[in-house]
Amino acid sequence: MARGGISSCVPRGRTGARPSAADRYNRSTAPPAMVLLGIESTAHTASVGIVDDRAQVLSLATDMYRPAQGGIHPREAANHHVEVLPRLVTQALESAHVRPSEVEAVAFSQGPGLGPCLRAGATVARMLSLAWERPLVPVNHCVAHVEIARVLSGLDDPLLLYASGGNTQVIAYFKGRYRVLGETLDIGIGNFIDKLWIELGGTFPGGPALELEARQSSHLLPLPYSVHGMDVAFSGMLTASLALFGKGVSRPDLAYSVEVTAYAMLTEITERALAHRRRDSVVLGGGVACNERLREMVRAMVEGRGGRMFAPPRALCVDNGAMIAWTGRLALASHVTVPIEASAVQPRQRTDLVDTPWRGS
Ligand code: AMP
Ligand code: MG
């Protein structure tokens, strides 16, 4: 497998006019012949990424749907994606200095995700595949988070703590599949944080704002700590947090307590999974993995066990087209393509039902 090509998520177009010193240092002796284009649209983010066969991100164009108020509405998010994706495709091609004829295949997020959003991305991918006469490559969104972190980290077989808006999972590869060892039993950690933040008077997305608020406190309030083996649950903490806020506790104290409690839960299940699978390295993925406290808590746990923790740059932790393109690259090399008539999206696609022939058995 190509490895170690990305040293930063900063996209570097092939013949960009102003390469930085790092760009020049990382530039290969010869430009790659063909590249892969990936389309991401599982939830609130529409994104198009272009990568080469050494996993260099040549461009990444992203536009996130932000509801004026409340949480994500699938149909409105899908309308947003339909509107912005053509521009994102053009932008990605232009900033990568890539012509359509140089695109080897078009990869798209097939699932899991919100049906209307997935269909928006898949429709654009099918159109490009037809227009450019290039194969269509289906990609599982969760597997893409693992693969981009794996190639960026150089770690061969890490465990993934995937903490995003809709998903909270601990994933490891064994017996020929990526398998979910533990997950949320109710809502995703990001959705929990977003809901809470909106109830506290904020706007979507809540995670970055809650992180700033939490930095203003070090007072830990008791909150439900809900770990069941390698699974977690957050709805009890949401109810308890809102009750405490109703009784007048301060927003910083609540933000701090929620972060410490929720991230301790994630750290605990990750450690249990490491011990269970006899692994020593962990990679992070998902928007919540942008959080500094979560990164530090997991890093302390992993390094305390003598292992290595890696968190991708934030642009590649959140949903992004580059991880879809890179995983499409791996899939294509293993001859995984799909005819248009069989390329229906799979909103409930399970990670452990997806073939990953590039990983072997
Ligand atoms: P994703 O679904 O992977 O694109 O991630 C989006 C989720 O990540 C949203 O729920 C955000 O609130 C959350 N998020 C983004 N940045 C942070 C952060 N710094 N801390 C916690 N959560 C975050
Ligand atoms: Mg995601």
Side-chain angles (χ1 to χ4, degrees):
M1 180 180 94
R3 182 165 298 281
I6 302 176
S7 59
S8 127
C9 78
V10 180
R12 47 180 78 93
R14 283 177 173 187
T15 54
R18 294 181 301 279
S20 66
D23 285 343
R24 285 195 201 89
Y25 180 77
N26 286 307
R27 197 174 292 281
S28 65
T29 46
M34 299 289 257
V35 299
L36 233 102
L37 182 140
I39 297 181
E40 160 59 30
S41 72
T42 50
H44 40 63
T45 298
S47 179
V48 178
I50 296 183
V51 301
D52 68 17
D53 58 359
R54 294 175 308 120
Q56 295 214 77
V57 180
L58 301 179
S59 64
L60 182 57
T62 295
D63 195 320
M64 187 181 179
Y65 159 74
R66 290 170 195 267
Q69 58 183 26
I72 182 169
H73 187 292
R75 242 167 250 293
E76 281 176 16
N79 289 344
H80 163 270
H81 299 347
V82 168
E83 214 165 280
V84 302
L85 274 169
R87 168 175 59 80
L88 297 180
V89 170
T90 308
Q91 232 171 285
L93 288 169
E94 283 178 3
S95 65
H97 304 280
V98 159
R99 288 185 294 272
S101 59
E102 296 170 302
V103 174
E104 192 173 1
V106 178
F108 70 104
S109 268
Q110 191 177 33
L114 303 170
C117 297
L118 285 167
R119 278 190 283 280
T123 303
V124 174
R126 287 182 201 118
M127 279 167 47
L128 295 179
S129 157
L130 278 173
W132 297 344
E133 299 181 341
R134 291 288 185 262
L136 192 59
V137 184
V139 168
N140 175 275
H141 177 89
C142 308
V143 169
H145 275 292
V146 190
E147 292 301 352
I148 194 72
R150 208 159 71 85
V151 70
L152 286 166
S153 64
L155 292 165
D156 188 47
D157 196 18
L159 209 108
L160 172 77
L161 171 59
Y162 176 29
S164 74
N167 295 290
T168 307
Q169 299 180 332
V170 180
I171 297 171
Y173 185 82
F174 58 98
K175 292 193 185 155
R177 292 276 166 94
Y178 281 110
R179 294 178 192 273
V180 177
L181 294 170
E183 62 190 317
T184 179
L185 299 174
D186 45 32
I187 50 177
I189 173 117
N191 286 354
F192 154 60
I193 290 173
D194 294 335
K195 267 184 204 215
L196 175 65
W197 187 245
I198 288 165
E199 292 290 332
L200 300 188
T203 53
F204 176 88
L210 192 99
E211 178 168 30
L212 292 179
E213 194 88 348
R215 287 196 193 142
Q216 296 171 38
S217 168
S218 55
H219 178 57
L220 186 64
L221 304 162
L223 286 170
Y225 184 94
S226 199
V227 169
H228 310 273
M230 284 186 271
D231 296 327
V232 285
F234 296 108
S235 50
M237 202 188 314
L238 178 60
T239 308
S241 300
L242 294 177
L244 282 174
F245 192 60
K247 285 183 190 156
V249 305
S250 79
R251 236 165 56 159
D253 285 354
L254 194 53
Y256 173 76
S257 308
V258 162
E259 280 208 343
V260 169
T261 309
Y263 299 157
M265 287 162 54
L266 297 187
T267 306
E268 179 180 335
I269 62 166
T270 306
E271 180 165 28
R272 188 158 297 130
L274 277 177
H276 185 67
R277 294 308 313 164
R278 296 193 169 84
R279 303 286 165 89
D280 57 8
S281 57
V282 173
V283 293
L284 300 185
V288 182
C290 293
N291 186 279
E292 210 51 53
R293 191 186 310 276
L294 177 62
R295 288 175 176 222
E296 284 320 307
M297 288 170 77
V298 176
R299 186 187 307 284
M301 178 275 287
V302 175
E303 292 180 356
R305 298 173 58 89
R308 218 185 116 202
M309 193 285 279
F310 175 83
R314 287 173 173 74
L316 298 178
C317 268
V318 296
D319 291 349
N320 66 87
M323 70 179 188
I324 304 301
W326 173 243
T327 309
R329 166 86 248 160
L330 298 173
L332 186 70
S334 294
H335 313 290
V336 178
T337 61
V338 67
I340 292 206
E341 57 277 15
S343 65
V345 299
Q346 297 185 27
R348 294 182 183 280
Q349 189 176 53
R350 289 284 309 179
T351 309
D352 42 18
L353 293 180
V354 175
D355 287 329
T356 53
W358 60 92
R359 287 288 325 247
S361 54

